[in-house]
Amino acid sequence: MVQTAVIDLPSTDSDSDYYRCWIEWFINLEGKEYFCDVDEEYILDRFNLTNLPLEVPHYHKALDLITDRLPNTPMSDELRGQIEQSAIHLYGLIHARYIITARGLVKMLEKYKRGDFGVCPRVYCSQHSLLPVGITDQPNVKGVKLYCSRCEDVYNPKSKKHALVDGAYFGSSFPHMLFQVYPTLKPAPSEQRYVPRIFGFKIHAIAELHRWQADQREEQKKRLGIASDS
């Protein structure tokens, strides 16, 4: 199960002035670099938020917080903390839907080209850029992984803060949707494979040689009438 890190929202006037809106503040947090900014018009379109009110506690207040419409009314620290966490969860679920739209793909493509998601750790992929992906679309199951389109495998993020991000906030379809829309960006699969060797000989070739030698010894023993070692 994914562990959600508790974070503090800006509460001072200086913080509020520095970040123009909640979304800008959120995507600039350490560990949230994989996220892009979702257009407010998309968030305010109720069609795009279908079924989300059933999945997020304090949905309406969380939505107001994301869109900077939450009234500055007194509330308990406990309630405020719940609303803050709901806002993060809601934004993540909206983000997963947004990044497979035309506008969302463009924004994530820019991050991909900048290398914001890191490079593949596999030697033969030659530092090919990665893309975030969810193993499942179900929230609170698996953290985000990084997909390499060259070796077509997934890897854990290097940063623990990135690893805490829910994979459902990116979804299982995003990288593949990106290459469907921009097919020229998809590289040819890597054909290079590491071959284990001992003293320059492939291990499987050595094993075949040993089996052949063993068979030859057994045949020689049979011809000479010597009992087998087994």
Side-chain angles (χ1 to χ4, degrees), residues 113-148:
K113 289 181 175 180
R114 289 198 305 264
D116 288 359
F117 311 117
V119 296
C120 184
R122 183 175 177 271
V123 171
Y124 291 119
C125 285
S126 303
Q127 295 190 320
H128 189 71
S129 293
L130 299 169
L131 285 166
V133 67
I135 298 298
T136 174
D137 295 313
Q138 185 67 30
N140 301 316
V141 176
K142 290 284 187 180
V144 67
K145 306 300 178 185
L146 295 169
Y147 169 75
C148 175

Side-chain angles (χ1 to χ4, degrees), residues 98-109:
Y98 177 73
I99 61 175
I100 57 174
T101 67
R103 178 62 178 154
L105 286 171
V106 168
K107 289 188 178 183
M108 294 297 277
L109 177 59

Side-chain angles (χ1 to χ4, degrees), residues 8 43 46 62 66 74 77-78 85 98 103 109 112 130 147-148 161 172 177 187 192 206 209 211 213:
D8 296 324
I43 297 174
R46 292 190 177 185
I66 290 173
D77 291 341
E78 181 180 1
Q85 292 306 311
Y98 177 73
R103 178 62 178 154
L109 177 59
Y112 173 64
L130 299 169
Y147 169 75
C148 175
K161 290 189 176 181
S172 58
M177 182 70 75
Q192 286 183 289
I206 294 175
L209 175 61
R211 284 194 294 270
Q213 290 174 335

